[in-house]
Amino acid sequence: MKWITREKIKVDRVACPWLIQHFVDPEAEFVFLPRDTDWSKIENGIVFDVPNCELGHHDEDVSFNSILKKYNLSEPALLLLGEIVQAADSHPTNPHPASEGLRWVAHGFSALGLSDHQILEREFVVYDALYGECKRQTTEPAKGSERVAFLETDDFLV
């Protein structure tokens, strides 16, 4: 299936293709069109993260959250990742602290002068890693704050 959105991708328009390809449509083909496209005229594909579409921003939800809801994806790690993407892409009332780093990564990739497809190819590994950490955070017993848990390990000494 073709999945269609705006060009010049950053946070949500990278997170959504990652989510779609990993959990909704492994054979997804992503198409990036100019901002001024008449999205209502698109009939051959599913539009996402464009104005006035089902899989777009609604209230505080970003497109990633809309896809989670539409496809009944409720794994705790995906919901946590959704909180991070939401806070990195919008201004929710209670932003997740990891979101600022994700926003910086997205803007850094954008500044490299790569095509949208090249950004997806390179940045999917960031989402793979972030999802892995979200899985760990939602399955391991809590050790306290993120910072304290990190400081209690010797991982950073390697």
Side-chain angles (χ1 to χ4, degrees), residues 10-11 80-92 94-109 123 126-127 130:
K10 288 196 180 73
V11 178
L80 177 56
L81 182 54
E83 289 178 35
I84 296 167
V85 170
Q86 176 189 34
D89 197 61
S90 66
H91 302 285
N94 188 20
H96 191 282
S99 65
E100 192 61 25
L102 183 58
R103 183 186 349 259
W104 281 43
V105 167
H107 286 268
F109 271 98
E123 206 172 337
V126 172
Y127 283 89
L130 190 54

Side-chain angles (χ1 to χ4, degrees), residues 3-6 12-13 16 19-20 39 46-71 85-86 89-90:
W3 294 78
I4 304 162
T5 192
R6 293 177 289 130
D12 207 14
R13 280 173 283 132
C16 289
L19 180 65
I20 291 163
W39 305 107
I46 300 171
V47 295
F48 67 96
D49 201 30
V50 299
N52 304 313
C53 76
E54 179 183 15
L55 301 177
H57 289 224
H58 302 284
D59 299 319
E60 284 197 353
D61 282 346
V62 294
S63 301
F64 190 92
N65 304 116
S66 295
I67 293 169
L68 288 174
K69 289 176 182 175
K70 165 85 177 176
Y71 294 97
V85 170
Q86 176 189 34
D89 197 61
S90 66

Side-chain angles (χ1 to χ4, degrees), residues 27-149:
E27 302 299 318
E29 176 187 344
F30 298 102
V31 178
F32 304 101
L33 299 176
R35 181 185 268 305
D36 62 356
T37 298
D38 184 350
W39 305 107
S40 65
K41 302 258 192 242
I42 294 177
E43 297 176 2
N44 186 19
I46 300 171
V47 295
F48 67 96
D49 201 30
V50 299
N52 304 313
C53 76
E54 179 183 15
L55 301 177
H57 289 224
H58 302 284
D59 299 319
E60 284 197 353
D61 282 346
V62 294
S63 301
F64 190 92
N65 304 116
S66 295
I67 293 169
L68 288 174
K69 289 176 182 175
K70 165 85 177 176
Y71 294 97
N72 299 312
L73 301 171
S74 58
E75 177 193 352
L78 286 177
L79 298 178
L80 177 56
L81 182 54
E83 289 178 35
I84 296 167
V85 170
Q86 176 189 34
D89 197 61
S90 66
H91 302 285
T93 52
N94 188 20
H96 191 282
S99 65
E100 192 61 25
L102 183 58
R103 183 186 349 259
W104 281 43
V105 167
H107 286 268
F109 271 98
S110 178
L112 294 176
L114 302 169
S115 74
D116 289 332
H117 285 99
Q118 290 171 320
I119 290 173
L120 286 186
E121 180 183 318
R122 286 160 176 82
E123 206 172 337
F124 270 21
V125 71
V126 172
Y127 283 89
D128 291 339
L130 190 54
Y131 174 63
E133 179 61 12
C134 288
K135 284 180 85 162
R136 191 184 71 77
Q137 290 291 325
T138 57
T139 58
E140 288 186 7
K143 291 184 181 178
S145 75
E146 303 287 318
R147 184 166 172 74
V148 171

